[in-house]
Amino acid sequence: MIFRRRAPLTAALPAAAALVATSACAPTIGVAAAPGAADPECASVVLALPDDLAEDLPRVDTNSQATAAWGAPGAAVTLRCGVEPPGPSAQCQSVESANGTTVDWIVATDDEGTWSFTTYGRDPAVEVVVPPAVMEDHTSSFVIDLAGAVSLVEAERTCQ
């Protein structure tokens, strides 16, 4: 019978501790889940979202189902799938991506400079919120980067 000497368990402990320490540093953005977050189509949308927006906003973890965020805490673009689909609006804009996918968005801004984009004609709807800190250095054109994911929810209506 051949016995092999095994490395002591204590050799693995520093590596495990380093992994835990590294993952503990990753930010988690608090994003409230939308009422329809459990819709199966939201899972498809979230899984198809890009890892980066505008080339310099990396995707970070969120704390709720059917949500995503890019950027840093306090200045992150957030996305929620499963929001109430909006009705027709004069603020409806069609945005076409490079591959020809078109997504209609209801665009709004508040008094503090926060922009919101909510898909129009899709149920469940997707809402993207862009804080003023992001708009200082970016345009809102990165919503084009979301077209592939949000178009997984079939459009039932379009902007008129």
Side-chain angles (χ1 to χ4, degrees):
M1 191 182 279
I2 299 176
F3 292 98
R4 295 180 188 230
R5 185 173 178 200
R6 293 185 181 183
L9 179 60
T10 55
L13 291 177
L19 178 63
V20 169
T22 302
S23 63
C25 294
T28 297
I29 306 291
V31 182
D39 189 304
E41 288 189 89
C42 286
S44 297
V45 168
V46 171
L47 289 173
L49 291 169
D51 291 333
D52 297 289
L53 289 180
E55 298 178 7
D56 66 342
L57 296 171
R59 189 164 170 185
V60 294
D61 291 333
T62 58
N63 64 349
S64 298
Q65 180 177 356
T67 63
W70 297 265
V77 174
T78 59
L79 176 144
R80 301 184 319 146
C81 183
V83 299
E84 185 70 29
S89 170
Q91 305 305 319
C92 194
Q93 297 180 13
S94 295
V95 178
E96 185 175 345
S97 67
N99 70 1
T101 302
T102 300
V103 176
D104 292 344
W105 298 92
I106 302 292
V107 181
T109 185
D110 67 16
D111 294 337
E112 291 148 17
T114 300
W115 288 76
S116 66
F117 301 83
T118 307
T119 55
Y120 175 74
R122 298 172 192 267
D123 189 2
V126 173
E127 173 191 67
V128 177
V129 176
V130 185
V134 172
M135 293 301 284
E136 288 175 5
D137 300 325
H138 300 84
T139 67
S140 60
S141 65
F142 56 74
V143 297
I144 293 170
D145 299 340
L146 304 173
V150 300
S151 66
L152 294 174
V153 177
E154 187 176 335
E156 299 167 355
R157 293 177 308 285
T158 59
C159 293
Q160 300 292 338

